[in-house]
Amino acid sequence: MTVASDPRVTDRVHQELRDQIFAGELPAGARLSVPALAASLGVSRSPVREAIVRLVHERLAREEPRRGAVVADVSLKSLIAIYEVREVLEGLATRLAVENAGRRLIRTLEDVLGEHERAVAAVDLTAASEADMTFHRLIREAADNPEVVRMLDEVQTQVRLAMRTTQVTRGPKLAVADHRAIFTAMAAGDPAAAEQAARAHIAGLRSTLAEQAGEPR
Amino acid sequence: MTVASDPRVTDRVHQELRDQIFAGELPAGARLSVPALAASLGVSRSPVREAIVRLVHERLAREEPRRGAVVADVSLKSLIAIYEVREVLEGLATRLAVENAGRRLIRTLEDVLGEHERAVAAVDLTAASEADMTFHRLIREAADNPEVVRMLDEVQTQVRLAMRTTQVTRGPKLAVADHRAIFTAMAAGDPAAAEQAARAHIAGLRSTLAEQAGEPR
DNA sequence: CTTTGAAAAGTTACATGTAAATCCCTCTTG
DNA sequence: CAAGAGGGATTTACATGTAACTTTTCAAAG
């Protein structure tokens, strides 16, 4: 038996290109030339071609037949549409988490929320951001629904892509307050309230995006 | 300029394999051998390979490294999870449709609903099913959110795959009644009520799946 | 009759070949 | 100086070659 799965060249190339896109080394609109990338990565054209097909499928790149692929961008309008979807998916994940989970999850979430609050109080943005992501991740995992996890991953991919150009936050303090509200509903074992609180959290972020788009209210 | 886009061999192969999977000609678990399919379709291995990568990505096939791809199946458990996601997505689409749409949509929906009711009364299952799908399609399009449309398409793909083995219906009459409820809320211009009615429609279908899974209530 | 294992067959994954389409630069023309 | 035609360079898309790996077959051993 092999100790670890022998990673395919295609997988490495795919991961490398993803990293380069998220890092901004391959900016939006950059052409993804198969021969050029193959040469620069020191592999043949086949695995590069397949990696690009995957990037197109996860919408990190766009392709027109016979014209090749370019790195995708995310318009503010698209991002708002994505957040509309994210709102209901995070709501679902949170409701399912409440329906499934026991005290163990509640206690873990409480710990993470505490860390989050301390980090915000200490103006430690890195730690705050990490606690924020952990909070959401724990809820998704507890939802025990692989479909919603997958769809939220797709959403997350697009959000990361958008992050290169667009800021999405209402500030660390509001994030903590929203999470506290979600936690309270979850701790009370109220699935409907938890779903609503999670939706409100995302809806709030979406409204800041809408403001940036020049549509206040 | 070309009159119609020159279809790539890859595209034709992909479509052909999709059709064969949905038609049951390639049943769940069937191995997708690249050389065998290339020979049977009269093309080289390259476009077949790429078509299979796409099938894997849309989860019509599963692949293990170095072991090839097989046609996917959808367990009842997965299907229920998919319907949990579908519930909130259809709810979102319906709410957005109400927020965007004018009388034109309402009138079109009313017509389709009328056709649906007549088809059910006449026990014309084909016409009823078509009206059912049209009703949902009109709402999705009116939502004017490409993200939710895409995600519902993904859901639809999995549902079609499951259809080969699992029946998903509560009967034509209940479908019409659900649609009538959705329509009423939409016609009243009440986004929240429309979202709820759409969710209830899918939740009803999901509960019949849960019953089949041996978990009544 | 079941188990074992080694050879044969078939397949995957990566590499490379190539015709046709597209891109891009330059040089001409109005 | 802008517009556009020509032509070489590049690229895509499909085809094919091949080493390594997996699966299958089948005969011998237990």
Side-chain angles (χ1 to χ4, degrees):
Chain A
M1 185 193 291
T2 49
V3 184
S5 69
D6 182 24
R8 293 179 294 184
V9 175
T10 293
D11 295 335
R12 291 196 297 101
V13 171
H14 176 230
Q15 189 58 52
E16 174 65 21
L17 292 178
R18 266 182 72 102
D19 290 348
Q20 289 191 18
I21 289 171
F22 287 134
E25 294 168 41
L26 285 169
R31 297 205 69 224
L32 295 170
S33 157
V34 173
L37 289 170
S40 95
L41 296 170
V43 300
S44 79
R45 299 179 332 245
S46 303
V48 174
R49 172 74 234 211
E50 183 165 328
I52 288 176
V53 169
R54 290 194 204 170
L55 292 176
V56 168
H57 231 288
E58 58 194 335
R59 298 195 302 139
L60 292 176
R62 290 186 226 293
E63 141 178 277
E64 282 183 292
R66 314 254 167 210
R67 303 179 134 250
V70 300
V71 176
D73 65 341
V74 181
S75 69
L76 191 48
K77 189 155 176 284
S78 290
L79 191 59
I80 290 169
I82 288 162
Y83 266 76
E84 286 178 335
V85 170
R86 187 179 173 192
E87 176 185 329
V88 299
L89 291 177
E90 295 276 10
L92 171 62
T94 307
R95 175 164 57 82
L96 292 176
V98 173
E99 288 172 357
N100 292 335
R103 288 190 202 129
R104 181 71 154 284
L105 174 70
I106 299 300
R107 241 176 298 131
T108 310
L109 284 174
E110 188 156 36
D111 289 349
V112 172
L113 189 52
E115 280 177 44
H116 194 171
E117 284 167 341
R118 278 193 298 281
V120 169
V123 200
D124 181 346
L125 282 252
T126 308
S129 170
E130 194 163 328
D132 188 317
M133 292 198 307
T134 302
F135 187 84
H136 284 288
R137 185 175 50 73
L138 286 169
I139 289 173
R140 288 177 196 190
E141 284 169 8
D144 194 33
N145 178 323
E147 301 300 324
V148 75
V149 170
R150 180 191 335 280
M151 295 218 165
L152 280 169
D153 282 344
E154 290 178 25
V155 166
Q156 184 65 23
T157 298
Q158 292 301 107
V159 170
R160 282 187 70 187
L161 193 60
M163 284 285 184
R164 298 179 311 173
T165 56
T166 311
Q167 185 68 16
V168 190
T169 179
R170 295 195 302 164
K173 283 178 189 153
L174 276 175
V176 155
D178 282 0
H179 284 199
R180 173 61 68 184
I182 294 168
F183 173 77
T184 301
M186 291 184 78
D190 187 338
E195 178 169 6
Q196 268 314 116
R199 286 183 61 154
H201 177 45
I202 307 299
L205 294 171
R206 178 160 51 79
S207 77
T208 73
L209 289 172
E211 279 166 30
Q212 286 180 50
E215 294 164 36
R217 169 104 16 133
Chain B
M1 184 194 290
T2 50
V3 185
S5 70
D6 183 24
R8 293 179 296 184
V9 175
T10 293
D11 295 334
R12 291 195 297 98
V13 170
H14 177 229
Q15 190 58 52
E16 173 66 22
L17 292 178
R18 265 183 75 101
D19 291 348
Q20 288 190 19
I21 289 170
F22 287 136
E25 292 168 43
L26 286 169
R31 298 205 66 218
L32 295 170
S33 157
V34 172
L37 289 170
S40 95
L41 296 170
V43 299
S44 80
R45 297 176 337 239
S46 302
V48 174
R49 173 75 233 212
E50 183 165 329
I52 288 175
V53 169
R54 291 195 203 169
L55 292 175
V56 168
H57 232 288
E58 59 195 335
R59 298 196 300 140
L60 293 175
R62 288 185 226 294
E63 145 178 271
E64 283 181 292
R66 313 256 167 207
R67 302 176 137 251
V70 299
V71 176
D73 64 342
V74 181
S75 69
L76 191 48
K77 189 155 176 283
S78 290
L79 192 58
I80 291 170
I82 288 162
Y83 265 75
E84 286 177 335
V85 170
R86 186 178 173 193
E87 177 185 328
V88 299
L89 292 177
E90 294 277 9
L92 170 63
T94 306
R95 175 164 57 83
L96 293 176
V98 172
E99 288 171 359
N100 293 334
R103 288 193 201 127
R104 181 69 156 284
L105 174 70
I106 300 299
R107 242 177 297 129
T108 310
L109 284 174
E110 186 155 37
D111 290 348
V112 172
L113 189 52
E115 280 178 44
H116 195 170
E117 285 167 339
R118 279 193 297 283
V120 169
V123 201
D124 181 345
L125 281 253
T126 308
S129 169
E130 194 163 327
D132 188 317
M133 293 197 307
T134 302
F135 188 84
H136 283 287
R137 184 176 50 74
L138 286 169
I139 289 174
R140 289 178 198 190
E141 284 169 8
D144 194 34
N145 178 322
E147 301 298 326
V148 75
V149 170
R150 183 191 333 280
M151 295 221 165
L152 280 169
D153 282 345
E154 289 178 26
V155 166
Q156 183 66 22
T157 298
Q158 292 300 107
V159 170
R160 281 186 70 187
L161 192 61
M163 284 286 184
R164 298 180 311 174
T165 56
T166 310
Q167 185 67 17
V168 190
T169 179
R170 294 195 304 164
K173 283 178 189 152
L174 276 175
V176 155
D178 282 2
H179 285 200
R180 173 61 68 183
I182 294 168
F183 173 78
T184 300
M186 292 183 77
D190 186 339
E195 178 170 6
Q196 269 314 118
R199 286 182 61 152
H201 177 44
I202 307 299
L205 294 172
R206 179 161 50 78
S207 77
T208 71
L209 289 172
E211 281 166 28
Q212 286 180 53
E215 294 165 38
R217 170 102 15 136

